[in-house]
Amino acid sequence: MASVALVILKLIALWPRAFLQGLGKCFGWLKYITNSQAACVSRENIQLCYPQLSEVQQRQLLRASLSQSAQTFFETPSIWLSSPSRLNSWIDEIQGEIFLKRAINSSKGVIVLLPHFGNWELINVYFSKHGSMTGLYRPPRQTYLKKIMQDIRSGFGNEFVPTNKKGIFRLVRRLNAGGVVTILPDQVPRAGIFSDFFGNQALTDLLIPRLLQRTGATAVAVTIKRKNNGYFTLTCKEPDPDIYNISNEISAKALNKTIESCVSQAPEQYQWEYKRFRERPIGQKKLYRFNKPTEFHS
């Protein structure tokens, strides 16, 4: 099974970037017109997070979001398996790089906050030219994919560690040594606190606030936005300053505000099909229960 999956990924990786993006646009439209699971989840999230938009505007955002997510899906095998010489040109614009370079040069350790926005997998390509980093990733559920994913994502000289105690210990060591770690800050954690995210309470991981407090590292938010011409802009920006606050509540809220600021660049490029509000405070209605009886969190 693993060898078959790898062959398929390698075949997809051979296709030109423009063709992959065109295929993604078609696939995104198909997901929209068939009212797929991805469309249902995205619609619910968009309605929650952008209630100020009209129904027409929400539909437009939904269609654009499914198109962008599908493009990311088809681009990713190329990003995993192609040579740096092919991929270096994909990021043709960099903004705010001074914030990242300044943090790296401080030798205090850097936490790159990388939301599910645009094609975040291109962070590997960027760091293959600008040093190395250690990334925290959640291993796939399919056992046969775990080794493939680890090998592929480490192919540019970067290190990836799983979301367990051993992996987090490695992050701490890397930060204490003045290194760079990359964390996707908008995943639903196993434990955390509820904090405001686009006007809704979202279970928010305290790993990043705790790492900042424990190691004295600097946080930098990075996004990799797809442009109309099919290439990408990598943008670095400073997070909300309250992210360094010793209060978990204040720091978590600042983390989510930072993600919101990243998303505001191009809301259609955020991965709205992710079940970000799967966990909710006690008494609130459970979401993503399409065609199922209403239930409430207890």
Side-chain angles (χ1 to χ4, degrees):
M1 184 67 75
S3 58
V4 173
L6 186 58
V7 168
I8 293 172
L9 291 173
K10 286 183 176 180
L11 288 174
I12 295 174
L14 295 174
W15 298 341
R17 174 188 51 76
F19 177 77
L20 293 170
Q21 292 172 338
L23 194 61
K25 292 176 183 178
C26 294
F27 190 60
W29 175 250
L30 181 64
K31 290 199 293 183
Y32 176 76
I33 63 174
T34 59
N35 199 33
S36 63
Q37 175 80 358
C40 291
V41 173
S42 298
R43 182 183 296 109
E44 188 146 21
N45 283 334
I46 288 169
Q47 290 172 349
L48 276 173
C49 296
Y50 287 98
Q52 71 276 20
L53 297 182
S54 69
E55 187 175 337
V56 171
Q57 290 172 320
Q58 289 179 348
R59 284 202 303 269
Q60 291 172 340
L61 179 54
L62 172 62
R63 287 198 299 269
S65 171
L66 293 170
S67 173
Q68 294 287 340
S69 292
Q71 288 180 69
T72 296
F73 176 79
F74 281 101
E75 292 163 351
T76 297
S78 286
I79 295 170
W80 285 347
L81 293 164
S82 298
S83 65
S85 60
R86 178 191 177 191
L87 297 171
N88 283 340
S89 64
W90 285 31
I91 301 175
D92 69 348
E93 183 180 5
I94 298 178
Q95 299 177 351
E97 190 177 33
I98 184 64
F99 297 118
L100 182 58
K101 287 187 173 181
R102 184 186 300 156
I104 293 173
N105 292 336
S106 72
S107 300
K108 291 182 178 180
V110 181
I111 299 178
V112 171
L113 310 176
L114 188 71
H116 289 85
F117 178 94
N119 198 323
W120 63 91
E121 293 281 0
L122 279 166
I123 196 72
N124 262 325
V125 179
Y126 174 79
F127 271 102
S128 71
K129 297 189 298 180
H130 296 83
S132 64
M133 58 90 176
T134 298
L136 185 68
Y137 81 104
R138 184 170 294 174
R141 295 178 181 177
Q142 300 87 347
T143 304
Y144 69 90
L145 283 177
K146 290 182 180 179
K147 182 66 164 59
I148 292 177
M149 300 295 291
Q150 178 69 21
D151 291 346
I152 287 174
R153 286 180 162 173
S154 302
F156 288 90
N158 298 312
E159 175 189 24
F160 288 86
V161 297
T163 52
N164 55 30
K165 289 183 178 179
K166 185 177 179 180
I168 293 172
F169 179 69
R170 176 60 185 155
L171 295 186
V172 172
R173 289 184 60 187
R174 188 71 192 272
L175 290 171
N176 285 334
V180 179
V181 307
T182 298
I183 300 175
L184 297 167
D186 48 356
Q187 299 191 86
V188 180
R190 294 185 180 91
I193 63 173
F194 286 102
S195 184
D196 186 85
F197 184 58
F198 282 101
N200 300 274
Q201 291 297 296
L203 189 63
T204 303
D205 201 344
L206 293 176
L207 173 62
I208 291 170
R210 287 170 176 166
L211 286 175
L212 291 171
Q213 290 297 318
R214 180 172 178 177
T215 66
T218 301
V220 179
V222 174
T223 55
I224 305 175
K225 183 175 70 173
R226 186 179 297 102
K227 301 197 293 186
N228 291 336
N229 63 5
Y231 291 91
F232 294 84
T233 298
L234 184 144
T235 301
C236 307
K237 61 192 301 182
E238 293 180 308
D240 186 292
D242 280 340
I243 199 171
Y244 301 104
N245 197 288
I246 60 173
S247 163
N248 287 337
E249 289 74 17
I250 295 175
S251 182
K253 184 176 181 179
L255 175 62
N256 285 338
K257 285 174 65 177
T258 299
I259 300 169
E260 290 177 15
S261 176
C262 291
V263 174
S264 68
Q265 298 176 79
E268 72 278 5
Q269 294 200 32
Y270 190 58
Q271 188 176 314
W272 294 110
E273 60 191 70
Y274 181 63
K275 296 180 180 179
R276 183 66 183 89
F277 302 102
R278 185 178 67 241
E279 302 296 334
R280 306 187 82 193
I282 294 174
Q284 290 196 12
K285 186 175 74 171
K286 291 184 178 180
L287 303 178
Y288 319 123
R289 293 181 54 80
F290 311 112
N291 300 318
K292 295 181 180 179
T294 300
E295 289 187 1
F296 296 86
H297 288 276
S298 58

